[in-house]
Amino acid sequence: MIAPENEQDLAEAVASAQGGLRIEGGGTRGLAGSAGEVLSLAALQGVDLYDPGAMTIVVRAGTPLAEVETVLARENQRLAFEPMDHRPLLGTAGEPTIGGVVAANVSGPRRIQAGACRDSLIGVRFVDGRGAVVKNGGRVMKNVTGYDLVKLMAGSHGTLGVLSEVSLKVLPRDACAASVSIRGLSDGRAVQAMAAALGSPHDVSGAAHLPSSDGAQATTMIRLEGFDTSIAHRSERICDLLAGFGEVAVESDPARVAAAWQSLRDVETFHGRPGDVWRISVKPSDAPALVDRLPALGVQYDWGGGLIWVLTSEGSDLRPKMADVAGHATLVRASPETRARIPTFHPEPAPLAAISAGLRAKFDPRAILNPGVMD
Amino acid sequence: MEMPPPDTAVIARKDDIVARLQAVLPKGAVISHPEETRAYECDALTAYRCPPLCAVLPASTEEVSAVLKICHEERVPVVPRGSGTSLSGGALPTADSVILGVARLNEVLETDCENRFIRVQAGRTNLSVTGEVEDQGFFYAPDPSSQLACAIAGNIGMNSGGAHCLKYGVTTNNLLGVTMVLMDGTVVELGGAHLDAPGLDLLGVICGSEGQLGVVTEATLRILPRPEGARPILMAFGSNEAAGECVSDIIRAGVLPVAIEFMDRPCIRATEAFAHAGYPDCEALLIVEVEGAPAEIDAQLGLIKQIARRHDPIELRESGSEEESARIWLGRKAAFGAMGRISDYMCLDGVIPVSALPEVLHRIGEMSEEFGLDVANVFHAGDGNLHPLILYDANKPGDLETCEALGAEILRLCVRAGGCLTGEHGVGVEKRDLMAAQFSPQDMEAQLRVKDVFDPAWLLNPAKVFPLDVTAPRRQAR
């Protein structure tokens, strides 16, 4: 294992690498398919700059996510995109890092309101496959100077470069939250109810649906966040709006609201259950009909229906069932045998695959950075 | 402004090239007469002009593909053009280039409020996108000042922002997908009504690439439900520093207004003389707008006023009606027009960390004296996006050059303060030669490699964004 302690050592390690490098932050996201010597970013830690009055933080890539969140909480701020903790779902151990979150573009329920991780990311420093240190973006929220490689790096899973530092836009932490729920809706009705809430002016920050299973009733949940008078007003309006769908209940106990949405964020209903886990992104109204066709052992809808988590028996390929549906499916958890047969990421059409391959060849001509991870 | 010498071989083949383009486009879609090509000689950066070889106005993705295929075969540079409102010369042609205008690509293709998106052809104007969905209670969030005229294609090219991006983000945060034609004519689809990319976030790098990676012909845009209401407050201060500190304190307090706009004394004076908005005579004023239901607005404005009082405001004027809101915004919206009436001006677009506002504004004041040119400031303060307007006299020999030199110094100052050269206007030709102030050769090389992949022959808008000496080997290998 190589564990550089600063960016320059990282650059030298990459430049002098003789073969593939398996880039690791906290090792909690279970990178599939990666071979080679482990290049650990764990020693690249620390907050380089935090400017609460400008809502920006600059952090070294190996900094634990928990530390970033603690630093922000002290100023009553937070990461807007609500990254999930993959550990219980994947059965991994370790400490999630901010670099890992960015490399995988991990975004939770608030993605529909506040954007994905990539939308909060405003700057990166990384080491490309030649060992060159590159910076892009910066520490300001608006920046159109040159190409936006920041977005390109988010979600590139280390295949274009090894992140050494990330700059993020952060948001004020809301003082209060409430969760409005309806029981017993079919998936189709639930997506309609969520669309009604998301199409309202009440600034919904989460819309999820757990279908009925094992005798438990289906639950559809709408989250509102803000200050007290605002929450009171908006939850009342959302209740009125959804009254036609069924009996509406409001939960406003902070701990219970937070626990419910953390459970959704981390897909708790799948924890400890065997099988493969898929994450599917589609147009919300396409979701219920697609789910009907899938051999699912468990399902959770997030993002108003636009994100479907699916638990299936081992080895089933869901992509053929999506042939006539626009969107993409990622195989999040599977055995090595299944992975050998089914790619993790949704295959791209030929011209786009050629561009992606072309970019990888430019940034990492020796193909040493997380080889195979995004193939 | 130096532009690469035109390829005389291309100019010599003009008639053949025009004939080939005419063969794949409807009658009237190829503009080649020297008198008519003048209409395309510049964009809103009017100091630099050059008529193109010809201009084409395709009306479909297929026609764009056919045009690019021909230009690729003929090795003719192509300059994509939205509505020509670029302030940085993004659509400035060279004499050997074809202007590809998207003005005829203006259809709405699909409106879907249930799934909260709209799909339009990319020549559609920004404001008309909102116009299409406002009856259903929705709007398209990015709102550049030129939104009445500017095209979605140009917004995507420059990753345009606007006054309300503090809350809603800029174009890249509101763009879900595109249909794009590569320089060799290949049509690609990226994203769509669903969220996020299956592999690399190519859409993210296309947005803001200034027409150098492909020609966007269709776009899927996120639409948002209109808030219940919005109300501004106007706050007048005795110094730029006080106003700047107030901005930082508001943000730090956890209030997130949709807009925080800043105007300094020179700008307030010029605007008052022109628009008569009734602004107080003061050193600096802020317009802060919040959204929500009436009670939510009251609560937020209450907190904002509390913060403002700590900075000895001269006046706090909270809007109590639609009419008062319109008056508060009137001067801000008229600011650029007002400045244009009293003088020629150059509008900068640097960004700084909000916390550096007082110090940077102070230094700009000093530099204005050193160079002997007045600078008026009007900008989006919440996100640190400055728009210093340098006033000069275009008829006075040397004044433009002095103005450009001062502009370059101010932008270098922004970079030194931790910011960047451009927040929403783009690099174009205007800031091309300043790129080295912000990026190392390695930083730029990484960006050039992206273009190598999308446009290996370096034909799309090739003389923009990067310093000419940096791109010369690639352009000359054409």
Side-chain angles (χ1 to χ4, degrees), chain A residues 49-57 75 77 170, chain B residues 248 251-253 355:
Chain A
L49 183 146
Y50 178 30
D51 187 352
M55 297 198 294
T56 47
I57 190 165
E75 290 286 341
Q77 295 185 331
V170 298
Chain B
S248 205
I251 289 173
R252 202 171 171 145
S355 46

Side-chain angles (χ1 to χ4, degrees), chain B residues 60-111:
Chain B
S60 67
T61 301
E62 294 69 33
E63 288 179 10
V64 171
S65 170
V67 164
L68 289 179
K69 215 171 189 163
I70 290 167
C71 292
H72 188 246
E73 283 167 14
E74 298 280 353
R75 288 295 186 265
V76 183
V78 173
V79 176
R81 179 183 166 105
S83 297
T85 58
S86 171
L87 291 165
S88 58
L92 176 69
T94 46
D96 58 356
S97 69
V98 171
I99 283 275
L100 194 163
V102 294
R104 292 185 183 179
L105 287 158
N106 55 12
E107 298 283 318
V108 173
L109 302 169
E110 188 182 0
T111 305

Side-chain angles (χ1 to χ4, degrees), chain B residues 119-357:
Chain B
R119 201 159 59 87
V120 298
Q121 286 188 310
R124 189 98 191 156
T125 61
N126 175 292
L127 195 59
S128 77
V129 172
T130 288
E132 196 62 25
V133 293
E134 64 188 346
D135 284 351
Q136 291 101 300
F138 286 83
F139 72 109
Y140 175 59
D143 59 343
S145 303
S146 56
Q147 68 178 156
L148 187 62
C150 64
I152 292 296
N155 292 178
I156 294 170
M158 295 308 193
N159 189 14
S160 303
H164 291 81
C165 47
L166 184 57
K167 179 166 180 192
Y168 296 114
V170 293
T171 301
T172 191
N173 312 114
N174 292 279
L175 178 67
L176 297 171
V178 295
T179 300
M180 186 175 85
V181 188
L182 301 176
M183 188 60 217
D184 66 3
T186 308
V187 178
V188 294
E189 298 280 347
L190 289 145
H194 55 276
L195 295 174
D196 298 333
L200 294 178
D201 189 354
L202 301 177
L203 187 61
V205 77
I206 285 157
C207 191
S209 62
E210 307 206 10
Q212 292 198 311
L213 302 184
V215 176
V216 171
T217 57
E218 293 174 14
T220 306
L221 307 169
R222 180 171 83 127
I223 52 172
L224 297 172
R226 219 172 241 304
E228 285 179 86
R231 197 153 19 108
I233 180 169
L234 183 150
M235 313 197 289
F237 295 93
S239 71
N240 286 342
E241 287 78 5
E245 281 160 15
C246 184
V247 171
S248 205
D249 285 355
I250 289 171
I251 289 173
R252 202 171 171 145
V255 195
L256 191 61
V258 276
I260 306 181
E261 298 289 297
F262 188 117
M263 290 168 78
D264 69 358
R265 182 183 283 279
C267 189
I268 298 165
R269 288 228 166 127
T271 303
E272 268 308 289
F274 176 61
H276 311 292
Y279 284 176
D281 191 33
C282 59
E283 285 303 316
L285 66 78
L286 297 176
I287 298 172
V288 182
E289 183 161 278
V290 296
E291 287 179 346
E296 295 177 285
I297 290 176
D298 287 343
Q300 294 176 80
L301 288 183
L303 185 56
I304 288 167
K305 281 189 287 188
Q306 224 177 61
I307 295 166
R309 287 203 184 96
R310 297 205 295 261
H311 299 279
D312 301 322
I314 292 166
E315 188 180 339
L316 299 179
R317 189 185 298 173
E318 185 180 334
S319 162
S321 65
E322 286 282 314
E323 198 197 340
E324 284 175 26
S325 297
R327 282 194 78 75
I328 286 178
W329 276 109
L330 176 69
R332 168 62 185 92
K333 289 189 172 164
F336 285 55
M339 298 310 298
R341 222 175 54 126
I342 58 168
S343 174
D344 298 307
Y345 70 80
M346 181 166 123
C347 174
L348 305 181
D349 180 41
V351 187
I352 56 166
V354 182
S355 46
L357 260 179

Side-chain angles (χ1 to χ4, degrees), chain A residues 268-360:
Chain A
E268 198 179 312
T269 52
F270 294 3
H271 294 180
R273 294 171 68 184
D276 294 348
V277 174
W278 289 80
R279 192 175 180 272
I280 303 176
S281 177
V282 292
K283 183 169 80 180
S285 63
D286 284 345
L290 172 62
V291 166
D292 270 349
R293 294 207 294 265
L294 301 177
L297 303 171
V299 171
Q300 175 184 312
Y301 294 84
D302 198 348
W303 300 354
L307 174 65
I308 317 166
W309 287 96
V310 184
L311 182 72
T312 63
S313 56
E314 272 189 43
S316 12
D317 188 354
L318 301 188
R319 290 191 186 114
K321 311 268 184 199
M322 288 180 69
D324 57 344
V325 181
H328 52 91
T330 308
L331 182 54
V332 175
R333 187 179 82 187
S335 66
E337 297 74 46
T338 301
R339 294 225 182 261
R341 208 161 45 75
I342 306 174
T344 300
F345 296 96
H346 210 101
E348 295 173 290
L352 293 182
I355 290 171
S356 295
L359 290 171
R360 286 205 184 84

Side-chain angles (χ1 to χ4, degrees), chain A residues 51-55 75-77 105 107 111-116 118-120 126 128 130-149 151-152 154-157 159-160 169 171-173 191-192 194-195 197-203 227 229-231 233-234 237 279 281-286 303-304 306 326-328 330 345-349 351-352 354-360 362-363 374, chain B residues 110 112-117 137-138 158-162 165-167 169-170 172-173 175 182 186-190 193-205 207-210 212-213 222 225-228 247-248 251-252 254-256 293 295-296 299-300 349 351-355 380 382-383 385 417-427 435 438-440 442-443 446-454 465-466:
Chain A
D51 187 352
M55 297 198 294
E75 290 286 341
N76 233 356
Q77 295 185 331
N105 189 28
S107 320
R111 194 250 177 278
I112 42 169
Q113 182 214 33
R118 58 88 96 173
D119 294 294
S120 285
F126 63 92
D128 74 9
R130 295 175 170 85
V133 176
V134 177
K135 74 162 186 301
N136 195 262
R139 54 170 283 214
V140 287
M141 271 183 238
K142 272 168 93 179
N143 187 345
V144 297
T145 322
Y147 295 163
D148 193 347
L149 305 187
K151 301 283 182 299
L152 192 62
S156 64
H157 293 270
T159 62
L160 297 178
K169 169 187 166 179
L171 281 185
R173 176 181 293 274
V191 169
Q192 285 169 7
M194 292 190 283
L198 287 165
S200 79
H202 306 303
D203 210 10
F227 55 93
T229 42
S230 168
I231 293 291
H233 166 77
R234 286 188 286 146
R237 290 294 172 90
R279 192 175 180 272
S281 177
V282 292
K283 183 169 80 180
S285 63
D286 284 345
W303 300 354
H328 52 91
T330 308
F345 296 96
H346 210 101
E348 295 173 290
L352 293 182
I355 290 171
S356 295
L359 290 171
R360 286 205 184 84
K362 290 282 183 190
F363 281 77
M374 287 192 90
Chain B
E110 188 182 0
D112 184 340
C113 292
E114 191 190 350
N115 292 298
R116 300 173 304 284
F117 74 88
F138 286 83
M158 295 308 193
N159 189 14
S160 303
C165 47
L166 184 57
K167 179 166 180 192
V170 293
T172 191
N173 312 114
L175 178 67
L182 301 176
T186 308
V187 178
V188 294
E189 298 280 347
L190 289 145
H194 55 276
L195 295 174
D196 298 333
L200 294 178
D201 189 354
L202 301 177
L203 187 61
V205 77
C207 191
S209 62
E210 307 206 10
Q212 292 198 311
L213 302 184
R222 180 171 83 127
R226 219 172 241 304
E228 285 179 86
V247 171
S248 205
I251 289 173
R252 202 171 171 145
V255 195
L256 191 61
E296 295 177 285
Q300 294 176 80
D349 180 41
V351 187
I352 56 166
V354 182
S355 46
H380 317 304
D383 43 35
N385 190 182
C420 65
L421 298 171
T422 172
E424 56 185 4
H425 295 174
V427 177
M435 286 289 274
Q438 190 175 329
F439 294 112
S440 74
Q442 286 188 165
D443 298 337
Q447 297 177 43
L448 301 181
R449 285 183 183 137
V450 171
K451 183 162 171 67
D452 291 341
V453 173
F454 282 86
V465 186
F466 306 101

